[in-house]
Amino acid sequence: MSVDSAALLTQRLSRRAALTSQELEELGNLPYSRRRLAPATYLVREGEPVTFCAILLEGCAIRHKIVRDGGRQIVSLCVPGDALDFQSLYLEYADHNIQTLTYATVDLIPVSAFRDLTSRCPGVAKAISKDILIDCAMLREQVTSLGRRDGRTRFAHALCEFAARSPSRLSQDVEHHLTITQEQMGDLLGLTTVHVSRLFKDFEKNGLIDRNRGTITYQLSDELIEEGDFNSLYLHGDEVPLRSA
Amino acid sequence: MSVDSAALLTQRLSRRAALTSQELEELGNLPYSRRRLAPATYLVREGEPVTFCAILLEGCAIRHKIVRDGGRQIVSLCVPGDALDFQSLYLEYADHNIQTLTYATVDLIPVSAFRDLTSRCPGVAKAISKDILIDCAMLREQVTSLGRRDGRTRFAHALCEFAARSPSRLSQDVEHHLTITQEQMGDLLGLTTVHVSRLFKDFEKNGLIDRNRGTITYQLSDELIEEGDFNSLYLHGDEVPLRSA
DNA sequence: CGCCCGTTTGAAATAATTCAACACCGGTGG
DNA sequence: CCACCGGTGTTGAATTATTTCAAACGGGCG
C-alpha cells in the first residue's frame, strides 16, 4: 500500500483551516523519508532534541512518561494521520517518549523544513495551532478521566475516544479493532494489569467488547458511551459525527 | 497598581520567539478592556462560544471540567501572565470552564483582533504556538501525576510546579503563598477534601509547608522536589532556573 | 518440547473514599 | 454583644476500589 503522507497531511490540515493553493502546493513539496517500524520502536526519547517531524501513516503509537518508581503513564494514543511531533516543532527538547505500539509506517519530515513552511504560510501555521489545541483538549479530557472517573468508566471512555478518532469510522456501526496488551491499557488508564484483566472480563461478559488473541473488537454503542461518560465535544470535530443521518 | 497587559503579553511572547519591531508594535496596539473580577467568577463556560481572549494580570484562575456524577476536575491552574484563551483562539466552542480562584484582574482582547494579528505576524503566531505547546506539556505532566503518582507525591509535585511557574520566583529561597481551599486542592489533585486535609496536616508536621487561614506558605526545597518527583524539564524554560548561580 | 510473554485468578493488603459528627471562624442580624 | 449561620477544615471508623503478591495458565515460537 502506498498512502501518501503529503496527501494525508494536506487533508488533515485542510480540515483545520482554509489553505491557499500555494500553501497546498508547498505542503505537497515537503521532503520526507518513509520508514517501516517494528512494534515498540522509539521515535523520540524524553530529554533528547528532536530533529524531524513524523507523520503516522499506519499503525498505532503512544506518548508516555516514566515516573520515579519506574511506573509508566501513557499520555496519549496516536492513530494514523496524526503528526507525532508538532509538539517539538517549537520546543527544543522532548518532554516525553514516543514509541510505536504496533508495526507502523511513518514519514519523517525534517523539522527545519516544517519551520520554514510555517513562517511563510500563515494558513498552515494556523492549521497546526488548531491541531495542537485539539491535542490539548484531549489531554484535558484525559486529566479529567484519571482524576475523577473510576476504572470502569475510564476504560469505556478510552474505547469511545479511540473509536471516535479512528479514521475507519466513516459510517455508523463499524466494528473497531484495538490491538493492545493489558499492560499497555493499564498504563493508559492509570491502572494495574491485574485490574485491567478483570475489567476486560467484565466488559466481555456484558457484551460490550469481544476478544480474540490480544485484539478487542467492539462498536461505539450507546451503552458504551453511557458507561464511559463520553461526550465528543472535546474532540472539536476531529471525529466523524456520532449520529450520521 | 497598573500592570500593562500589552507589556505583559509582549514580554511573555518575546520569551517564546523572536519578534520583529513591527510585531511588537502591533502587539502593543491590541485593543483591550480591563476587568476586576470577584473570586469564583466564570470567564468561560464549557460548550459556549468564546469571543474574547483574557490575559490574567493579577490573581489565580482555574480550568475545570465536570463529570457525570457531579465531580469536578481542575485541569490546570493559571497564574498572572497567563493567557486564558489561546485555547479558544482557533476553536469555536470551549470544552472546559474557566473560573477565577481569587480576586483577579484581567484584560479582555477580542478574539477577532487576535486572529487578525496572528495571520499578519508569523512571529506572533509562532510564539503563541509555543505557548500552547508548553500548556500541552504541563497537561501531560498532570496526566502522569494523576495516573501514576500517589496522593502525597501529587501534592508535593503540584506545589513545586506552582512555585516554579510563579512570577514572584525571581531569586532562590523565595516564600511562596498559595491561597486555595482544600476542596479546590482536592479537585486539582483528583483527591477528596478529607484526604487533602490529612495531607496538609502531614506536610505541615514535616515542616514542608506552613499554614495560616487558608493560605499555605512554603519554599521550593530540595525535600519538596524529591517528595514530588519533580523535574522541571517539562516546563521548557517557562520557569526561573532552579539553581541560579 | 520447553520457554517466554501476556493473561487469569484468588487472597491479602493498602490507599483513598465515604459517612458522620464536630470544631472553627468570620460575617450578619437581632 | 451575643446568637446564629454557612462555608471550611478536622477527626475517627467503616467501606471500597484498586493494588500487591503469588501462583498457575495458555499459546505462539524457536
Side-chain angles (χ1 to χ4, degrees):
Chain A
M1 143 166 17
S2 87
V3 205
D4 187 337
S5 80
L8 200 57
L9 189 62
T10 302
Q11 180 195 335
R12 182 189 184 88
L13 293 181
S14 297
R15 248 194 301 149
R16 304 268 183 261
L19 302 178
T20 67
S21 57
Q22 196 213 332
E23 288 175 329
L24 290 171
E25 192 185 329
E26 294 231 29
L27 266 173
N29 290 336
L30 278 173
Y32 65 87
S33 70
R34 180 155 305 179
R35 294 284 162 76
R36 177 93 183 141
L37 305 172
T41 306
Y42 275 87
L43 277 139
V44 175
R45 278 179 197 274
E46 182 172 352
E48 293 185 355
V50 180
T51 56
F52 54 80
C53 175
I55 310 292
L56 185 60
L57 303 181
E58 290 180 298
C60 282
I62 54 172
R63 303 171 184 282
H64 68 86
K65 302 188 84 164
I66 306 292
V67 299
R68 176 176 42 194
D69 66 17
R72 178 177 76 157
Q73 178 63 41
I74 294 179
V75 147
S76 65
L77 212 58
C78 303
V79 299
D82 282 355
L84 302 182
D85 293 287
F86 285 160
Q87 307 303 329
S88 310
L89 211 47
Y90 304 114
L91 299 178
E92 211 168 341
Y93 298 99
D95 57 62
H96 61 281
N97 308 287
I98 303 183
Q99 196 181 13
T100 58
L101 207 58
T102 61
Y103 276 101
T105 312
V106 297
D107 278 351
L108 304 182
I109 301 170
V111 161
S112 53
F114 235 111
R115 286 192 184 141
D116 284 356
L117 182 64
T118 54
S119 58
R120 272 194 323 263
C121 304
V124 174
K126 178 177 174 181
I128 290 179
S129 291
K130 198 165 168 187
D131 204 83
I132 299 170
L133 283 173
I134 293 176
D135 264 2
C136 269
M138 291 192 291
L139 286 168
R140 281 192 291 268
E141 188 70 21
Q142 169 85 329
V143 165
T144 307
S145 260
L146 290 170
R148 287 296 183 213
R149 297 202 252 249
D150 65 15
R152 282 189 69 76
T153 313
R154 266 182 253 169
F155 180 41
H157 192 281
L159 291 178
C160 290
E161 178 174 317
F162 179 78
R165 288 173 61 199
S166 166
S168 74
R169 185 172 153 63
L170 293 173
S171 67
Q172 223 178 326
D173 297 330
V174 193
E175 299 227 302
H176 296 281
H177 304 278
L178 182 53
T179 302
I180 193 170
T181 69
Q182 298 186 358
E183 183 182 18
Q184 289 157 354
M185 189 53 101
D187 288 347
L188 177 65
L189 302 178
L191 298 170
T192 305
T193 64
V194 175
H195 199 63
V196 169
S197 172
R198 302 198 231 260
L199 285 175
F200 271 38
K201 190 169 73 161
D202 199 66
F203 271 59
E204 186 176 34
K205 199 184 64 185
N206 290 338
L208 290 168
I209 63 172
D210 276 333
R211 290 192 287 168
N212 193 327
R213 302 239 228 89
T215 79
I216 72 188
T217 302
Y218 65 101
Q219 293 179 20
L220 185 46
S221 64
D222 289 343
E223 216 180 332
L224 200 61
I225 291 172
E226 166 66 21
E227 181 85 63
D229 188 18
F230 182 74
N231 177 335
S232 67
L233 176 74
Y234 73 95
L235 291 174
H236 292 280
D238 191 32
E239 87 284 9
V240 177
L242 280 183
R243 301 260 151 260
S244 56
Chain B
M1 137 166 23
S2 87
V3 205
D4 187 338
S5 81
L8 200 58
L9 189 62
T10 302
Q11 179 195 337
R12 183 189 182 89
L13 293 180
S14 296
R15 247 193 301 150
R16 303 268 182 261
L19 301 178
T20 66
S21 55
Q22 196 213 333
E23 287 174 329
L24 291 171
E25 193 185 331
E26 296 232 27
L27 266 174
N29 290 336
L30 278 174
Y32 64 88
S33 71
R34 179 155 307 180
R35 294 283 163 78
R36 176 94 183 142
L37 305 173
T41 306
Y42 274 87
L43 277 139
V44 175
R45 277 180 197 273
E46 181 171 354
E48 294 184 354
V50 181
T51 56
F52 54 80
C53 176
I55 310 293
L56 185 60
L57 303 181
E58 289 180 297
C60 281
I62 54 172
R63 303 172 183 282
H64 69 86
K65 302 188 85 165
I66 306 292
V67 300
R68 177 176 42 195
D69 66 17
R72 177 177 77 159
Q73 178 64 40
I74 294 179
V75 147
S76 64
L77 212 59
C78 303
V79 300
D82 282 355
L84 302 182
D85 293 287
F86 284 162
Q87 308 302 329
S88 311
L89 211 46
Y90 304 115
L91 299 177
E92 211 169 340
Y93 298 100
D95 58 62
H96 62 283
N97 308 286
I98 305 183
Q99 197 181 12
T100 57
L101 206 59
T102 60
Y103 277 100
T105 311
V106 298
D107 277 350
L108 304 181
I109 301 170
V111 161
S112 54
F114 235 111
R115 286 196 184 136
D116 285 355
L117 182 64
T118 54
S119 59
R120 274 195 322 264
C121 304
V124 174
K126 179 177 174 182
I128 290 179
S129 291
K130 199 165 167 185
D131 205 82
I132 300 170
L133 283 173
I134 292 177
D135 265 0
C136 269
M138 291 192 291
L139 285 168
R140 282 192 291 269
E141 187 71 20
Q142 168 85 327
V143 165
T144 307
S145 260
L146 290 171
R148 287 296 183 215
R149 298 202 251 248
D150 65 16
R152 282 190 69 77
T153 313
R154 267 183 252 169
F155 180 40
H157 191 281
L159 290 178
C160 290
E161 178 175 315
F162 179 77
R165 288 173 62 199
S166 166
S168 74
R169 185 173 154 62
L170 294 173
S171 67
Q172 221 176 328
D173 296 329
V174 194
E175 299 226 303
H176 295 281
H177 304 278
L178 183 53
T179 302
I180 193 170
T181 69
Q182 296 187 359
E183 184 182 18
Q184 288 157 355
M185 187 54 102
D187 288 347
L188 177 65
L189 302 177
L191 298 171
T192 303
T193 63
V194 174
H195 199 63
V196 169
S197 172
R198 302 199 232 261
L199 285 176
F200 271 38
K201 189 170 77 160
D202 199 64
F203 273 60
E204 187 176 35
K205 199 184 64 185
N206 291 336
L208 290 169
I209 63 173
D210 276 333
R211 289 193 288 168
N212 193 326
R213 302 239 229 91
T215 80
I216 70 188
T217 301
Y218 64 101
Q219 293 180 22
L220 185 46
S221 64
D222 289 343
E223 215 179 334
L224 199 61
I225 291 172
E226 166 67 21
E227 181 84 62
D229 189 18
F230 182 73
N231 178 334
S232 68
L233 177 72
Y234 74 95
L235 290 174
H236 293 280
D238 191 32
E239 87 285 8
V240 177
L242 282 182
R243 300 262 150 259
S244 57

PDB file of all heavy atoms in Angstrom, chain A residues 77-91:
ATOM      1  N   LEU A  77      -2.640   8.312  22.840  1.00  0.00           N
ATOM      2  CA  LEU A  77      -2.581   7.285  21.818  1.00  0.00           C
ATOM      3  C   LEU A  77      -2.586   8.002  20.476  1.00  0.00           C
ATOM      4  O   LEU A  77      -3.355   8.936  20.284  1.00  0.00           O
ATOM      5  CB  LEU A  77      -3.861   6.448  21.951  1.00  0.00           C
ATOM      6  CG  LEU A  77      -3.856   4.984  21.618  1.00  0.00           C
ATOM      7  CD1 LEU A  77      -2.837   4.247  22.471  1.00  0.00           C
ATOM      8  CD2 LEU A  77      -5.252   4.408  21.872  1.00  0.00           C
ATOM      9  N   CYS A  78      -1.722   7.575  19.548  1.00  0.00           N
ATOM     10  CA  CYS A  78      -1.696   8.211  18.236  1.00  0.00           C
ATOM     11  C   CYS A  78      -2.237   7.252  17.192  1.00  0.00           C
ATOM     12  O   CYS A  78      -1.869   6.070  17.170  1.00  0.00           O
ATOM     13  CB  CYS A  78      -0.272   8.612  17.870  1.00  0.00           C
ATOM     14  SG  CYS A  78       0.487   9.710  19.075  1.00  0.00           S
ATOM     15  N   VAL A  79      -3.108   7.763  16.338  1.00  0.00           N
ATOM     16  CA  VAL A  79      -3.706   6.939  15.293  1.00  0.00           C
ATOM     17  C   VAL A  79      -3.243   7.444  13.925  1.00  0.00           C
ATOM     18  O   VAL A  79      -2.707   8.542  13.823  1.00  0.00           O
ATOM     19  CB  VAL A  79      -5.250   6.970  15.396  1.00  0.00           C
ATOM     20  CG1 VAL A  79      -5.713   6.426  16.733  1.00  0.00           C
ATOM     21  CG2 VAL A  79      -5.794   8.366  15.176  1.00  0.00           C
ATOM     22  N   PRO A  80      -3.444   6.636  12.877  1.00  0.00           N
ATOM     23  CA  PRO A  80      -2.958   7.043  11.552  1.00  0.00           C
ATOM     24  C   PRO A  80      -3.478   8.433  11.167  1.00  0.00           C
ATOM     25  O   PRO A  80      -4.645   8.746  11.400  1.00  0.00           O
ATOM     26  CB  PRO A  80      -3.525   5.964  10.628  1.00  0.00           C
ATOM     27  CG  PRO A  80      -3.620   4.757  11.482  1.00  0.00           C
ATOM     28  CD  PRO A  80      -4.005   5.276  12.844  1.00  0.00           C
ATOM     29  N   GLY A  81      -2.620   9.228  10.599  1.00  0.00           N
ATOM     30  CA  GLY A  81      -2.974  10.586  10.238  1.00  0.00           C
ATOM     31  C   GLY A  81      -2.415  11.595  11.234  1.00  0.00           C
ATOM     32  O   GLY A  81      -2.266  12.767  10.916  1.00  0.00           O
ATOM     33  N   ASP A  82      -2.111  11.115  12.443  1.00  0.00           N
ATOM     34  CA  ASP A  82      -1.579  12.025  13.455  1.00  0.00           C
ATOM     35  C   ASP A  82      -0.148  12.432  13.129  1.00  0.00           C
ATOM     36  O   ASP A  82       0.649  11.632  12.654  1.00  0.00           O
ATOM     37  CB  ASP A  82      -1.581  11.352  14.839  1.00  0.00           C
ATOM     38  CG  ASP A  82      -2.956  11.352  15.470  1.00  0.00           C
ATOM     39  OD1 ASP A  82      -3.880  11.943  14.884  1.00  0.00           O
ATOM     40  OD2 ASP A  82      -3.102  10.765  16.558  1.00  0.00           O
ATOM     41  N   ALA A  83       0.131  13.698  13.415  1.00  0.00           N
ATOM     42  CA  ALA A  83       1.510  14.163  13.362  1.00  0.00           C
ATOM     43  C   ALA A  83       2.095  13.944  14.739  1.00  0.00           C
ATOM     44  O   ALA A  83       1.504  14.353  15.730  1.00  0.00           O
ATOM     45  CB  ALA A  83       1.549  15.628  12.982  1.00  0.00           C
ATOM     46  N   LEU A  84       3.230  13.275  14.800  1.00  0.00           N
ATOM     47  CA  LEU A  84       3.743  12.904  16.113  1.00  0.00           C
ATOM     48  C   LEU A  84       4.586  13.998  16.743  1.00  0.00           C
ATOM     49  O   LEU A  84       4.879  13.956  17.929  1.00  0.00           O
ATOM     50  CB  LEU A  84       4.569  11.620  16.005  1.00  0.00           C
ATOM     51  CG  LEU A  84       3.812  10.421  15.438  1.00  0.00           C
ATOM     52  CD1 LEU A  84       4.698   9.202  15.421  1.00  0.00           C
ATOM     53  CD2 LEU A  84       2.567  10.160  16.260  1.00  0.00           C
ATOM     54  N   ASP A  85       4.987  14.980  15.950  1.00  0.00           N
ATOM     55  CA  ASP A  85       5.965  15.896  16.518  1.00  0.00           C
ATOM     56  C   ASP A  85       5.682  17.358  16.332  1.00  0.00           C
ATOM     57  O   ASP A  85       6.606  18.154  16.344  1.00  0.00           O
ATOM     58  CB  ASP A  85       7.354  15.570  15.981  1.00  0.00           C
ATOM     59  CG  ASP A  85       7.803  14.245  16.485  1.00  0.00           C
ATOM     60  OD1 ASP A  85       8.123  14.168  17.659  1.00  0.00           O
ATOM     61  OD2 ASP A  85       7.782  13.297  15.694  1.00  0.00           O
ATOM     62  N   PHE A  86       4.427  17.713  16.184  1.00  0.00           N
ATOM     63  CA  PHE A  86       4.144  19.140  16.251  1.00  0.00           C
ATOM     64  C   PHE A  86       4.609  19.643  17.607  1.00  0.00           C
ATOM     65  O   PHE A  86       5.037  20.776  17.756  1.00  0.00           O
ATOM     66  CB  PHE A  86       2.652  19.406  16.079  1.00  0.00           C
ATOM     67  CG  PHE A  86       2.196  19.255  14.661  1.00  0.00           C
ATOM     68  CD1 PHE A  86       0.853  19.054  14.366  1.00  0.00           C
ATOM     69  CD2 PHE A  86       3.089  19.323  13.600  1.00  0.00           C
ATOM     70  CE1 PHE A  86       0.417  18.927  13.061  1.00  0.00           C
ATOM     71  CE2 PHE A  86       2.668  19.188  12.285  1.00  0.00           C
ATOM     72  CZ  PHE A  86       1.324  18.988  12.020  1.00  0.00           C
ATOM     73  N   GLN A  87       4.505  18.750  18.584  1.00  0.00           N
ATOM     74  CA  GLN A  87       4.993  19.049  19.927  1.00  0.00           C
ATOM     75  C   GLN A  87       6.364  19.698  19.892  1.00  0.00           C
ATOM     76  O   GLN A  87       6.649  20.639  20.590  1.00  0.00           O
ATOM     77  CB  GLN A  87       5.110  17.752  20.746  1.00  0.00           C
ATOM     78  CG  GLN A  87       3.887  16.904  20.800  1.00  0.00           C
ATOM     79  CD  GLN A  87       2.696  17.642  21.349  1.00  0.00           C
ATOM     80  OE1 GLN A  87       2.870  18.519  22.181  1.00  0.00           O
ATOM     81  NE2 GLN A  87       1.517  17.328  20.870  1.00  0.00           N
ATOM     82  N   SER A  88       7.207  19.125  19.071  1.00  0.00           N
ATOM     83  CA  SER A  88       8.611  19.503  19.144  1.00  0.00           C
ATOM     84  C   SER A  88       8.975  20.481  18.035  1.00  0.00           C
ATOM     85  O   SER A  88      10.137  20.776  17.808  1.00  0.00           O
ATOM     86  CB  SER A  88       9.474  18.250  19.047  1.00  0.00           C
ATOM     87  OG  SER A  88       8.993  17.293  19.960  1.00  0.00           O
ATOM     88  N   LEU A  89       7.963  20.970  17.358  1.00  0.00           N
ATOM     89  CA  LEU A  89       8.220  21.877  16.252  1.00  0.00           C
ATOM     90  C   LEU A  89       8.855  23.159  16.771  1.00  0.00           C
ATOM     91  O   LEU A  89       9.704  23.762  16.116  1.00  0.00           O
ATOM     92  CB  LEU A  89       6.890  22.208  15.558  1.00  0.00           C
ATOM     93  CG  LEU A  89       6.922  22.501  14.075  1.00  0.00           C
ATOM     94  CD1 LEU A  89       7.747  21.478  13.331  1.00  0.00           C
ATOM     95  CD2 LEU A  89       5.509  22.534  13.530  1.00  0.00           C
ATOM     96  N   TYR A  90       8.429  23.565  17.954  1.00  0.00           N
ATOM     97  CA  TYR A  90       8.966  24.805  18.506  1.00  0.00           C
ATOM     98  C   TYR A  90       9.675  24.613  19.837  1.00  0.00           C
ATOM     99  O   TYR A  90      10.192  25.553  20.401  1.00  0.00           O
ATOM    100  CB  TYR A  90       7.844  25.826  18.694  1.00  0.00           C
ATOM    101  CG  TYR A  90       7.073  26.111  17.444  1.00  0.00           C
ATOM    102  CD1 TYR A  90       5.735  25.763  17.334  1.00  0.00           C
ATOM    103  CD2 TYR A  90       7.686  26.744  16.358  1.00  0.00           C
ATOM    104  CE1 TYR A  90       5.017  26.041  16.186  1.00  0.00           C
ATOM    105  CE2 TYR A  90       6.972  27.017  15.204  1.00  0.00           C
ATOM    106  CZ  TYR A  90       5.639  26.656  15.123  1.00  0.00           C
ATOM    107  OH  TYR A  90       4.933  26.932  13.989  1.00  0.00           O
ATOM    108  N   LEU A  91       9.640  23.394  20.350  1.00  0.00           N
ATOM    109  CA  LEU A  91      10.309  23.146  21.629  1.00  0.00           C
ATOM    110  C   LEU A  91      11.591  22.375  21.381  1.00  0.00           C
ATOM    111  O   LEU A  91      11.619  21.457  20.558  1.00  0.00           O
ATOM    112  CB  LEU A  91       9.394  22.340  22.558  1.00  0.00           C
ATOM    113  CG  LEU A  91       8.059  23.010  22.917  1.00  0.00           C
ATOM    114  CD1 LEU A  91       7.221  22.093  23.789  1.00  0.00           C
ATOM    115  CD2 LEU A  91       8.291  24.340  23.594  1.00  0.00           C
TER     116      LEU A  91
END
